[in-house]
Amino acid sequence: MSFSITTWNINSVRLRMPIVEQFLVRYKPDILCLQETKCPNGEFPMKPLKALGYEHVIIHGQKGYHGVAIASKIPLTEDHRQDYCGIGDARHISAIVQVGSRRIRLHNFYVPAGGDEPDRSINPKFGHKLDFIEEMKALRADGVPGTSSILVGDLNIAPLENDVWSHKQLLKIVSHTPVETEGMLDIMKKGNWLDLMRLNVPATEKIYTWWSYRAKDWEAADRGRRLDHIWSSQDLGPSLDRIEILREARGWNRPSDHVPVTAHFRF
DNA sequence: ATGGTCGGATGCCGA
């Protein structure tokens, strides 16, 4: 059987519902994970998602900032939300999905962006990001026997040299500083996570999922970064069919600055 | 050359 899961930082789910619906009608993933919904729970657009067959929707929102959600065609059970850094931000939501004979724990994250200055002594937002990364190191992909794991989200870090348009020019730019990229690689190592977007793509090849709104012509400049990720436990690696990065979505009407990334599995 | 553009708790802050 086939199974597909998409991650997309939507930058306001209410404003972006027309392109969310367009994406779901055209690409029909089994599960859609959203970040930066910027939507209180009572105002989340449940009806249009359910009308498209995404009957199982779990949300963790707040007013104005952050917010994560999972919309699924298949049942979501044992959902929970972890308050990373204990400051009440809506940045994580998790559930179990049963796909054929496989039981999978799914995590959807929105990691703090971290502000502009990569120095925690003058920029508390960067300190918060580093603390968040530290807390993620306790999350294991293989912690529960008989349960596989998938972790998706806007992790706001581009870990490898070719996850940014210029490694050299971005070394002091938040999202690609060594303390962040090493921290992310340590999360993966400690938790035994597999970077599915890099599984079949050589490290020499550029991969981007985000292009700044500030560029005059995002496509011509092509100064992107890989901030959005799909990880899994090691056992799911052989079942990955392909990764699809929908670059064209950056050019849709009133786009998010992030594009959808989908993992297709064959179990 | 150190800007630029988005979004929402909008005339600012966070990204």
Side-chain angles (χ1 to χ4, degrees):
Chain A
M1 69 182 299
S2 65
F3 170 71
S4 58
I5 179 166
T6 299
T7 180
W8 196 5
N9 176 319
I10 202 62
N11 187 14
S12 174
V13 68
R14 284 172 291 181
L15 195 68
R16 232 60 91 181
M17 269 319 279
I19 61 169
V20 170
E21 293 179 75
Q22 177 177 317
F23 173 76
L24 293 176
V25 166
R26 287 191 196 170
Y27 294 93
K28 306 176 173 62
D30 293 302
I31 298 180
L32 173 65
C33 296
L34 297 171
Q35 305 87 34
E36 273 205 278
T37 53
K38 293 185 175 177
C39 181
N41 289 338
E43 293 168 43
F44 193 90
M46 293 282 184
K47 280 181 189 166
L49 292 172
K50 292 190 175 180
L52 289 171
Y54 295 83
E55 293 175 30
H56 311 276
V57 183
I58 59 173
I59 58 178
H60 187 202
Q62 65 184 83
K63 201 172 175 183
Y65 299 99
H66 325 313
V68 286
I70 305 176
S72 176
K73 293 183 172 184
I74 57 181
L76 300 169
T77 58
E78 298 177 47
D79 58 304
H80 71 87
R81 295 134 186 86
Q82 187 168 326
D83 183 3
Y84 281 76
C85 299
I87 56 173
D89 282 359
R91 295 183 178 276
H92 170 262
I93 191 164
S94 174
I96 295 276
V97 283
Q98 184 79 32
V99 184
S101 61
R102 288 170 196 267
R103 180 181 153 86
I104 303 172
R105 167 60 69 181
L106 172 62
H107 294 277
N108 178 17
F109 276 97
Y110 176 51
V111 172
D116 288 333
E117 194 59 53
D119 179 348
R120 71 181 307 155
S121 70
I122 56 174
N123 172 19
K125 289 201 283 283
F126 193 67
H128 176 216
K129 186 177 195 175
L130 297 182
D131 292 343
F132 199 103
I133 292 166
E134 210 53 40
E135 206 169 328
M136 284 182 76
K137 292 179 184 178
L139 186 62
R140 295 197 56 95
D142 54 4
V144 181
T147 304
S148 304
S149 295
I150 295 176
L151 183 158
V152 307
D154 175 6
L155 305 185
N156 266 315
I157 298 173
L160 305 179
E161 292 196 11
N162 287 305
D163 291 337
V164 292
W165 64 275
S166 169
H167 171 61
K168 212 171 174 178
Q169 285 175 260
L170 286 166
L171 271 170
K172 291 180 178 175
I173 303 298
V174 172
S175 74
H176 195 61
T177 65
V179 64
E180 295 169 85
T181 59
E182 287 162 17
M184 171 172 271
L185 295 175
D186 205 30
I187 297 170
M188 298 183 68
K189 191 179 171 187
K190 284 193 163 73
N192 203 18
W193 294 99
L194 196 57
D195 179 354
L196 291 180
M197 293 174 70
R198 280 289 179 194
L199 193 60
N200 300 312
V201 179
T204 49
E205 190 174 309
K206 297 278 188 198
I207 308 180
Y208 309 142
T209 65
W210 171 91
W211 292 262
S212 172
Y213 282 129
R214 295 179 190 176
K216 277 179 205 152
D217 182 340
W218 72 273
E219 198 163 24
D222 201 21
R223 293 184 167 188
R225 303 179 202 170
R226 180 168 75 115
L227 302 179
D228 304 277
H229 298 270
I230 303 181
W231 297 351
S232 78
S233 46
Q234 302 288 328
D235 60 317
L236 297 187
S239 303
L240 181 69
D241 181 35
R242 66 182 208 279
I243 293 282
E244 188 174 22
I245 301 169
L246 199 63
R247 183 184 166 105
E248 67 160 68
R250 185 62 180 77
W252 286 353
N253 189 241
R254 304 222 41 202
S256 169
D257 44 357
H258 297 252
V259 299
V261 181
T262 303
H264 297 264
F265 296 89
R266 267 186 205 289
F267 291 128

